[in-house]
Amino acid sequence: PSHDSEKDRVRQEYEFEHLYQHVTGKVGKNDFYGLAKANYALDRKNYVLGVVKYEYDHFLRNQHNAVAAVGYGHKLIRTDTLRVSNEVSAGVMRTDTDTKPVLRNSLWVRYDDKRYVFINKMLVEYTDFAYVRNQTELGYKVTNKVTVGLRHVYTRNTERKSNVTSFNLGLTLQ
């Protein structure tokens, strides 16, 4: 689940997920993803941002991965139903064995009408390897506060690829 809120010139987003799978006496998946981001609007189309991200993957050599970065975002399209933004940022990535600089690029697309919502978030982080995370969601609004839908998350790094599709129930907290 994720939560974002908009207040004056500041926009905040929080996103957390934990995936756990236990099959025939063995752990098949044990992943955690958490992100907190704040945007500060410079004008209608441009903003600065700060982001922290933490990931845990039980099966990687470097199980822990944390990123802190600052950057710039540009709202490419803003209508009543469609929002498209691109963000670039630079920061530091810390793993179990190393600390290194990271460059990030993120393209966000959100289509939201009275009944349906479609979201795609594509993130690429560059260090001595490229990390890719693409998150796609399609939801149906049961009410203004309740959404049901499908979500697919694809991740790739130097050690493995992951594809996870899930059925989600979303609650708006505002």
Side-chain angles (χ1 to χ4, degrees):
S2 68
H3 170 73
D4 64 37
S5 66
E6 236 175 278
K7 277 191 171 180
D8 301 317
R9 297 180 79 162
V10 176
R11 179 178 176 83
Q12 300 170 350
E13 177 174 342
Y14 308 97
E15 190 171 333
F16 303 97
E17 69 184 36
H18 181 245
L19 301 170
Y20 182 82
Q21 179 185 38
H22 194 265
V23 180
T24 61
K26 293 184 180 182
V27 174
K29 184 172 254 333
N30 189 6
D31 300 345
F32 175 82
Y33 176 86
L35 177 130
K37 185 174 79 136
N39 299 347
Y40 179 79
L42 301 172
D43 57 38
R44 284 188 35 217
K45 293 236 174 211
N46 301 288
Y47 55 96
V48 292
L49 63 102
V51 61
V52 292
K53 178 191 82 163
Y54 172 77
E55 286 184 278
Y56 171 81
D57 187 331
H58 180 76
F59 294 103
L60 294 182
R61 184 179 60 246
N62 283 310
Q63 294 180 335
H64 303 272
N65 178 334
V67 171
V70 294
Y72 165 78
H74 182 74
K75 298 173 183 177
L76 301 167
I77 299 172
R78 274 298 191 268
T79 69
D80 290 341
T81 55
L82 181 63
R83 298 185 333 193
V84 180
S85 299
N86 191 66
E87 300 173 352
V88 292
S89 56
V92 175
M93 175 184 286
R94 177 154 178 115
T95 66
D96 294 337
T97 60
D98 202 3
T99 300
K100 52 193 148 204
V102 62
L103 295 175
R104 308 172 83 242
N105 189 75
S106 182
L107 179 65
W108 298 52
V109 177
R110 180 184 181 100
Y111 174 81
D112 194 341
D113 69 10
K114 293 180 181 178
R115 278 289 172 223
Y116 300 96
V117 61
F118 170 82
I119 300 169
N120 195 82
K121 300 175 183 178
M122 176 69 159
L123 168 68
V124 180
E125 293 177 335
Y126 302 96
T127 58
D128 51 352
F129 63 90
Y131 166 85
V132 177
R133 178 184 174 89
N134 191 64
Q135 177 178 315
T136 304
E137 300 177 37
L138 179 61
Y140 175 76
K141 297 178 184 175
V142 179
T143 70
N144 280 347
K145 302 268 185 200
V146 178
T147 304
V148 294
L150 291 174
R151 179 181 200 194
H152 180 80
V153 178
Y154 167 82
T155 56
R156 184 194 79 209
N157 60 29
T158 57
E159 294 184 49
R160 76 178 191 143
K161 294 179 185 177
S162 174
N163 282 291
V164 176
T165 301
S166 59
F167 178 76
N168 296 309
L169 173 66
L171 302 174
T172 302
L173 303 174
Q174 300 173 335

